[in-house]
Amino acid sequence: MRVLGIAGRTLIGAGLILLLFVAYQIWGTTFQEEHTQSTLRSTLAQETNNQEIRHALAEETALDKLPNGPAKTAPTTAAPTEGNAVGVIRIPKIGINQVVVEGTNTNDLRKGPGHYIGTPMPGQFGNAAIAGHRTTYGHPFYNLDSIKPGDKIVLTTIQGIFVYDAVKQQVVSPSNTAVLKNEFGAYLTLTTCNPRFSASNRLVVTAKLAHSQLFPNSGLPPGHTSKLVSDDLAGSNQGELADALLWGVLWLVAGAVVLLAANRFRQRRLAIYGVGTVGLLALLYVFFIAVSPLLPASF
C-alpha cells in the first residue's frame, strides 16, 4: 500500500508539473514575447528620422488607407543582424500586428515572427519568407489557416509599405524548403507548425505583392540575397538537453531538501513549506525556460 501511495503521489505531481508547463507555454511565453515586441517596435522606429516612416511603423494603417499604387519593389539591401527588427507585419483578417525579426531559430522566434535568413527582405524582388509560432510566444500565426486567396498581408519596413494578396495555402513536411525558393516576381511566404499543438507538418501561405508605397532613400547599405541557411521550416532549435536536465535535477534535489527539512523540523513545517514552495516555483520556471528551446522552433 505504501508503494501505491508513493506511486500515486508521484503521478499526481508529474501531472501537476505538466499542467504548469502547458500554462507556461501558453501564457508565460506570451508575456515574454509581448515585452520583447514593445522593445523591438521602439528600436525600429528609432532607426529613421523620417516622421512618415516612424508613423507607418508605429500605427496600424487602416485598410482603406493602404497603398493602392503599382507593385514597385524596393532596392536590395543588406539584412539586419540576426535577432534585430526587420519591419512590421499586419494581417487585418486575423488581427496580427507584430514586429518581424531576422532569423528563425528558437531565440529569434521567441521575439516574434522571424525572417528566413537568405531570403529577400520584405518588399524586395523574390520570395521573402517569414515563420511564426502557432501556439506559444504570443502565437502570432495561430489563425494563419483562416487566410484565404485575396486576403491582405501588409509589411512595413523603413523602405516602404508593401501590400501582398494571399494566393494559396498548403500543408507540407517540415523538410520541404522548396516553398521558400526564389520565385519570378515579388512574393511572400508565411510558415508555421500544423496542426495546432503539433509540429508534424507546416502550414504555408503564399502571397504576391499587389501594391506598394516606397519611402525616400532609407540609407540602408546595398546588399544581395544570400543562400538560405535553414535546413527545414523553420530553422533549428537552440536548446541544450544538458541544461534542461541540470535544472530538472536541481529542482528534484531542492524538493527533497524541503521535504526532509519539513519532516525534521515539524514545528516550523508551514514556514518551511511556504519558503520552499516559492523557491521550487522559481527553479521550475527556470527549468521550463530551459526545456522550451527543445521544442520545434515555430511550435
Side-chain angles (χ1 to χ4, degrees):
M1 292 298 293
R2 185 176 181 181
V3 173
L4 289 177
I6 295 175
R9 287 193 291 271
T10 300
L11 290 174
I12 291 173
L16 180 59
I17 292 174
L18 182 59
L19 287 175
L20 288 173
F21 182 66
V22 171
Y24 165 77
Q25 287 296 309
I26 296 175
W27 293 293
T29 59
T30 296
F31 176 77
Q32 294 174 19
E33 189 260 5
E34 287 175 350
H35 175 72
T36 303
Q37 279 283 306
S38 178
T39 302
L40 285 169
R41 201 175 294 270
S42 298
T43 302
L44 184 60
Q46 293 171 3
E47 291 183 359
T48 176
N49 293 322
N50 187 300
Q51 292 300 319
E52 178 186 10
I53 300 176
R54 283 190 173 186
H55 179 77
L57 291 168
E59 302 295 331
E60 184 168 357
T61 306
L63 280 174
D64 59 351
K65 294 183 180 180
L66 289 176
N68 55 14
K72 294 183 179 179
T73 56
T76 301
T77 58
T81 305
E82 185 173 0
N84 288 345
V86 170
V88 176
I89 183 171
R90 299 183 177 98
I91 310 179
K93 182 173 182 179
I94 56 177
I96 295 301
N97 183 349
Q98 292 250 309
V99 178
V100 178
V101 300
E102 180 71 3
T104 56
N105 283 320
T106 306
N107 289 339
D108 302 323
L109 293 181
R110 284 180 172 185
K111 301 176 180 178
H115 171 253
Y116 282 89
I117 297 175
T119 68
M121 299 297 290
Q124 298 178 5
F125 185 85
N127 186 16
I130 296 172
H133 277 289
R134 190 93 189 266
T135 54
T136 59
Y137 290 96
H139 46 78
F141 288 171
Y142 184 84
N143 289 319
L144 193 64
D145 58 320
S146 299
I147 300 300
K148 306 299 180 186
D151 289 338
K152 304 294 183 184
I153 302 172
V154 185
L155 269 297
T156 305
T157 71
I158 62 175
Q159 288 188 291
I161 302 175
F162 307 96
V163 181
Y164 293 84
D165 285 345
V167 175
K168 64 179 180 179
Q169 180 186 123
Q170 59 183 316
V171 175
V172 301
S173 69
S175 61
N176 187 3
T177 56
V179 298
L180 307 181
K181 67 180 181 180
N182 198 346
E183 300 283 354
F184 182 74
Y187 286 85
L188 173 70
T189 295
L190 306 180
T191 72
T192 193
C193 286
N194 191 76
R196 295 188 186 109
F197 305 101
S198 171
S200 57
N201 291 301
R202 296 293 185 270
L203 175 66
V204 179
V205 169
T206 304
K208 185 175 183 180
L209 185 64
H211 308 285
S212 62
Q213 174 190 341
L214 299 183
F215 294 142
N217 181 19
S218 63
L220 292 174
H224 64 278
T225 301
S226 58
K227 183 180 178 181
L228 181 70
V229 300
S230 179
D231 294 327
D232 57 19
L233 307 174
S236 60
N237 64 43
Q238 294 178 315
E240 293 290 342
L241 180 59
D243 289 344
L245 291 174
L246 174 61
W247 285 110
V249 170
L250 287 175
W251 182 85
L252 290 173
V253 171
V257 170
V258 171
L259 289 175
L260 289 174
N263 287 330
R264 182 168 183 177
F265 304 100
R266 294 180 181 276
Q267 293 181 342
R268 300 180 181 178
R269 177 177 293 182
L270 289 179
I272 292 172
Y273 277 141
V275 175
T277 299
V278 173
L280 287 173
L281 287 175
L283 281 174
L284 195 61
Y285 182 78
V286 177
F287 172 64
F288 289 164
I289 292 176
V291 170
S292 290
L294 299 176
L295 298 175
S298 56
F299 181 72

